[in-house]
Amino acid sequence: MTWFNANTDKVWDLLLSHLWLSGLPILLGFVIAVPIGWFANRHRRLRGTILSLGGILYTIPSLAFFLVLPSIIGTGFLDPVNVVVALTVYAVAIMVRSAADAFESVSPAVLDAATATGFAPAGRAFLVELPLAGPVLLAGLRVVAVSTVSLVSVGALIGVSNLGSLFTEGYRTDNDAEILIGVIGIVGLALLFDLVLVIAGRLLMPWAYTGGQRTPIKPIVSFAQHLGGVG
Amino acid sequence: MIEYRSIGKTFADGTEAVGDFSLQLPSRTTTVFVGSSGCGKTTLLRMVNRMVDPSHGQVLIDDVDVATRNKVELRRSIGYVMQEAGLLPHRKVIDNVALMMRLKGASKKEARDRAHEVLETVGLDSSLANRYPAQLSGGQQQRVGVARGLVTDPNILLMDEPFGAVDPIVRDELQQELLRLQRELDKTIVFVTHDIDEAFLLGDQVVILKKGGEIAQVGSPADILAKPANDFVSSFIGLDKGRRTLHVEERNGTRIVVDESGKATGVLAE
Ligand SMILES: Nc1ncnc2c1ncn2[C@@H]1O[C@H](COP(=O)(O)OP(=O)(O)OP(=O)(O)O)[C@@H](O)[C@H]1O
Ligand SMILES: [Mg+2]
């Protein structure tokens, strides 16, 4: 505790870095993956290829990825952009599968009814398919959020400051308190992201929480099960 | 008027759903397609709003081939009601109905006002307007489905077994409601069912179909009952089992209507 009291400003700064280093990839990953998942669900023949590609991307070791990225996208070695780009790629890799599942979960009968009552294709995609895919998309996004928050810490190894820096520094200086604060900060941040997502889901999709039997929501995929499926 | 001209449909997998079908459906009347499962009723119905495109032949609405019309525009001009209502689970009842108006370019307020009006017309309590479809009973959902079909005041209403999934008492209620609505609204209704009693109750023109959309008989319910065209029709409408061959018997001083097997089915109104 004494270490924390003496270093609150530093911890606070690292927390903020960690926040945007993870928040940005989560957001970008979601925005990029949803249309790809929609496309994969639409074109059954390409679905397998697209999803395996995502799986392969996810198997790239993160440290190696951080190190080779600068030479691919022309950034400096210590540039935090490397971390953001790499984590966005991972986020997309996980989220594409969830998105494809999400669109698959939408009842074909409802889509047929929407078409028959005069929805144009674009209107149907945005007003019917996307919101109805929402609950499964949210489940996938929660997995991505937790995974991204924990992966950011690897960035500390290549000198991009975040809560993970408390591990590297604490290890070097043999400071258990510092390492503990790092763990608490990362777990807390992951829980915070998760809470925000759950609340956003409740606000944006009140229909999914009415307890009716006619709107089945796929059970939330567990983290381990999900990664198993991707890798 | 809706006219089928020598229409046929073979699906991509080779299933011939409709062989060669021609029929005229007069405006402002109810035509019912009735037949057993898989005989092509839904396929015939969905060729009117181009949810299915025919393999050969044409469907004309007021002498215009629907194939020449924009699909989305065409569908917006035709009411469609289906089994299990097909409502959007993520929109409230009122929005499900109002959305049809919005698609046609109505303002938000106009759409909502009109939706409230139609929900009242179909006999749905206004307290249900802000619920989600999953929070309604099957019968209530079906009323919303009908309201959605009627909200834009289309000339044509397509109904595909709309009351197939509700219990007999609610079905009876909904049928009476539809008859009342039709007296007021005078739509051209195409109604699909496999229940012959429903067909006779609702239809001005009843089309009894065999497999492949082959017409076994077309006519008013009275015509068909009086002169079934063949054994298939007799059996389909239950004449062969004596269910519809009724006679009067006197029991305990009251005149009772009895079917061929001796089962009492009603009393004679004096
Ligand atoms: N999209 C499709 N692809 C292939 N075959 C189809 C398709 N839609 C319908 N069929 C087939 O065409 C035939 C007629 O189907 P249709 O849905 O018109 O029957 P129906 O009379 O409405 O039956 P039900 O009373 O069961 O609804 C059936 O044999 C069905 O299997
Ligand atoms: Mg059918």
Side-chain angles (χ1 to χ4, degrees), chain A residues 96-167:
Chain A
V96 160
R97 180 177 291 267
S98 296
D101 288 348
F103 287 109
E104 194 178 12
S105 77
V106 178
S107 150
V110 171
L111 292 179
D112 182 81
T115 306
T117 52
F119 278 86
R124 194 184 84 158
F126 284 101
L127 294 173
V128 184
E129 280 192 87
L130 185 60
L132 288 179
V136 182
L137 285 176
L138 178 65
L141 191 57
R142 290 176 64 185
V143 173
V144 169
V146 173
S147 135
T148 306
V149 167
S150 83
L151 273 174
V152 166
S153 45
V154 181
L157 293 175
I158 56 160
V160 176
S161 300
N162 62 69
L163 288 173
S165 309
L166 298 178
F167 300 161

Side-chain angles (χ1 to χ4, degrees), chain B:
Chain B
M1 188 179 70
I2 303 172
E3 183 180 359
Y4 290 92
R5 266 195 205 154
S6 193
I7 207 149
K9 176 67 188 180
T10 304
F11 284 102
D13 65 356
T15 314
E16 188 186 69
V18 177
D20 184 29
F21 182 89
S22 297
L23 186 73
Q24 296 192 345
L25 287 64
S27 293
R28 299 172 197 289
T29 62
T30 303
T31 296
V32 179
F33 292 146
V34 59
S36 45
S37 191
C39 69
K41 307 179 293 291
T42 297
T43 306
L44 282 169
L45 189 79
R46 285 161 70 92
M47 287 199 272
V48 176
N49 66 354
R50 295 195 63 192
M51 286 300 284
V52 173
D53 283 320
S55 308
H56 62 77
Q58 297 153 297
V59 178
L60 299 97
I61 295 177
D62 295 331
D63 299 317
V64 178
D65 186 346
V66 294
T68 64
R69 297 189 50 186
N70 174 283
K71 280 186 184 182
V72 174
E73 295 299 320
L74 178 74
R75 288 170 194 153
R76 287 179 187 171
S77 72
I78 296 176
Y80 189 83
V81 187
M82 69 219 84
Q83 196 172 349
E84 306 279 6
L87 301 172
L88 301 178
H90 63 301
R91 303 305 286 267
K92 290 179 177 164
V93 164
I94 182 75
D95 297 324
N96 260 283
V97 179
L99 207 51
M100 299 297 110
M101 293 294 286
R102 298 283 288 153
L103 289 180
K104 292 197 89 175
S107 74
K108 241 185 191 140
K109 164 135 182 40
E110 195 186 341
R112 287 204 139 224
D113 291 350
R114 171 76 184 136
H116 273 298
E117 191 184 311
V118 183
L119 284 173
E120 195 173 320
T121 309
V122 301
L124 201 82
D125 199 279
S126 61
S127 66
L128 301 178
N130 282 316
R131 293 210 189 160
Y132 289 100
Q135 297 169 312
L136 300 187
S137 73
Q140 290 165 337
Q141 291 187 31
Q142 221 47 62
R143 283 177 197 270
V144 179
V146 174
R148 181 176 65 171
L150 289 172
V151 69
T152 57
D153 198 22
N155 293 325
I156 297 174
L157 195 57
L158 306 178
M159 307 185 83
D160 193 351
E161 303 200 39
F163 312 143
V166 292
D167 70 62
I169 295 167
V170 176
R171 186 182 313 145
D172 201 57
E173 239 174 74
L174 290 167
Q175 288 167 346
Q176 294 305 328
E177 200 77 24
L178 182 64
L179 283 170
R180 179 183 68 75
L181 280 173
Q182 174 63 349
R183 277 196 296 274
E184 283 169 25
L185 301 174
D186 253 355
K187 304 288 178 198
T188 304
I189 299 179
V190 190
F191 193 104
V192 163
T193 179
H194 52 244
D195 176 355
I196 186 66
D197 293 319
E198 186 170 62
F200 282 162
L201 176 68
L202 299 174
D204 300 306
Q205 169 171 260
V206 172
V207 185
I208 298 178
L209 294 166
K210 287 197 208 177
K211 211 157 186 60
E214 188 193 328
I215 297 181
Q217 187 167 6
V218 186
S220 69
D223 288 346
I224 294 175
L225 274 169
K227 269 206 179 83
N230 48 48
D231 289 348
F232 176 84
V233 174
S234 297
S235 136
F236 192 81
I237 66 180
L239 276 181
D240 63 337
K241 290 188 211 80
R243 189 161 68 89
R244 293 187 193 277
T245 318
L246 308 175
H247 63 273
V248 177
E249 278 178 16
E250 181 127 350
R251 287 195 194 159
N252 305 329
T254 316
R255 302 222 281 163
I256 303 260
V257 180
V258 176
D259 71 12
E260 214 159 64
S261 64
K263 200 175 121 224
T265 61
V267 292
L268 201 64
E270 307 286 343

Side-chain angles (χ1 to χ4, degrees), chain A residues 189-206:
Chain A
L189 198 58
L191 289 176
L192 181 73
F193 267 109
D194 200 47
L195 188 69
V196 167
L197 288 175
V198 169
I199 291 172
R202 290 233 162 208
L203 293 177
L204 289 171
M205 303 181 287

